[in-house]
Amino acid sequence: MRGGQDEARAPVLQFTNCRILRGRALLREDLWVREGRILDPEKLFFEERRVADEQRDCGGCILAPGFIDVQINGGFGVDFSQASEDVGSGVALVARRILSHGVTSFCPTLVTSPPEVYHKVLPQIPVKSGGPHGAGVLGVHLEGPFISREKRGAHPEAHLRSFEANAFHDVLTTYGALDNVRIVTLAPELGRSQEVIRALVARGICVSLGHSVADLQAAEEAVQCGATFITHLFNAMLPFHHRDPGIVGLLTSDRLPPGRHIFYGMIADGTHTNPAALRIAHRAHPQGLVLVTDAVPALGLGDGRHTLG
């Protein structure tokens, strides 16, 4: 009860002169917020007898939820996979610049790299709240190096790894401290991957399946061990086949643990994924769709030669 009373006493903020998306149309309406929650103004007035404590004029701008990008490799000339003495300043630059693109939080993503890069970079990217200074950092997304050689894509083959006998110890030796890590993408068909998935999940780290030649059974077993995400669906994995749909089949699998939800990232740029494929995935499992940019350091720059990793 005390929590409800404290909330009722919290200041109410009213956004005026703004446009809000409702029913696929932009409407001019005010928005009332208290402690991050949108309020019903009628209930506020008639039940609490309250008016706004503060008003902010939006100048006719669109008021919308911020975009959360869980896979972004860099931007504006900054490559998160490049080890330097001041990685934090590069992350801060990207965080500041992507605000104008509607991104309010993100996972800086590292492509496959040698251990010395992880050991130097990861401690320099702490979790950080967002604000006027830039988008928030939710934690690092480690994409590799424990992925398939056949589906490595742009990842450098020389630095790919498999799991050794003491698999999770090998993970710690490769990455170093995992304190700032939020997501790890791995290929579930690799030997000893199941014990690694369990260990990562026990530490609160999201395990994503990707850059993989796994069949559906291997993917289902990975989910049963705790994996909950798919990295850029359709890209860098076996194509859908009616006899064995592979990782894609997780969207409609009936062999997942009760209550376990699968989410999947998709690069909806019309190139990495055909719009028809995007619609198929969304209609099969709409609640799991997570849009990602998979942006590279060339984001925001002009034509030219750019690096990744």
Side-chain angles (χ1 to χ4, degrees), residues 149-169:
R149 293 184 182 276
E150 294 90 334
K151 294 295 181 180
R152 66 183 183 277
H155 291 241
E157 185 175 11
H159 301 308
L160 297 182
R161 299 173 66 93
S162 56
F163 298 117
E164 302 300 330
N166 193 345
F168 192 62
H169 180 267

Side-chain angles (χ1 to χ4, degrees), residues 46-302:
F46 289 108
E47 296 181 10
E48 298 185 29
R49 304 295 181 182
R50 289 283 301 274
V51 294
D53 298 284
E54 180 184 351
Q55 290 185 336
R56 292 187 187 175
D57 190 328
C58 296
C61 292
I62 297 172
L63 204 58
F67 179 64
I68 301 171
D69 197 350
V70 299
Q71 188 172 4
I72 171 173
N73 305 285
F76 315 101
V78 175
D79 186 343
F80 298 141
S81 300
Q82 287 289 336
S84 71
E85 299 302 325
D86 189 14
V87 173
S89 63
V91 175
L93 171 65
V94 174
R96 186 169 65 254
R97 297 285 295 274
I98 60 179
L99 273 181
S100 64
H101 295 265
V103 181
T104 53
S105 57
F106 68 111
C107 291
T109 304
L110 274 66
V111 297
T112 294
S113 305
E116 55 266 27
V117 169
Y118 296 119
H119 292 184
K120 190 167 188 176
V121 171
L122 291 183
Q124 298 187 62
I125 312 181
V127 174
K128 187 181 299 184
S129 297
H133 62 279
V137 177
L138 301 174
V140 177
H141 180 169
L142 297 176
E143 189 184 4
F146 302 100
I147 58 175
S148 162
R149 293 184 182 276
E150 294 90 334
K151 294 295 181 180
R152 66 183 183 277
H155 291 241
E157 185 175 11
H159 301 308
L160 297 182
R161 299 173 66 93
S162 56
F163 298 117
E164 302 300 330
N166 193 345
F168 192 62
H169 180 267
D170 187 39
V171 170
L172 295 176
T173 300
T174 301
Y175 293 141
L178 296 173
D179 298 339
N180 301 333
V181 176
R182 188 66 190 92
I183 305 173
V184 172
T185 291
L186 55 79
E189 71 274 14
L190 296 179
R192 307 181 184 88
S193 65
Q194 294 187 14
E195 66 176 274
V196 171
I197 293 171
R198 292 190 184 96
L200 289 171
V201 171
R203 287 176 173 243
I205 295 173
C206 170
V207 174
S208 184
L209 310 180
H211 286 277
S212 165
V213 294
D215 57 19
L216 178 57
Q217 180 177 345
E220 290 170 334
E221 290 172 351
V223 173
Q224 290 161 7
C225 292
T228 54
F229 201 73
I230 302 172
T231 296
H232 44 51
L233 185 73
F234 295 124
N235 287 277
M237 61 186 60
L238 292 178
F240 178 89
H241 190 281
H242 64 284
R243 295 193 186 277
D244 191 330
I247 291 177
V248 178
L250 289 176
L251 273 60
T252 56
S253 172
D254 60 358
R255 295 189 59 195
L256 305 186
R260 179 70 50 81
H261 299 287
I262 284 293
F263 298 89
Y264 56 97
M266 292 199 74
I267 310 170
D269 58 2
T271 300
H272 285 81
T273 307
N274 186 283
L278 175 62
R279 289 192 292 270
I280 289 172
H282 181 256
R283 291 174 185 176
H285 184 30
Q287 296 83 5
L289 175 61
V290 177
L291 297 177
V292 300
T293 65
D294 202 10
V296 295
L299 168 68
L301 304 181

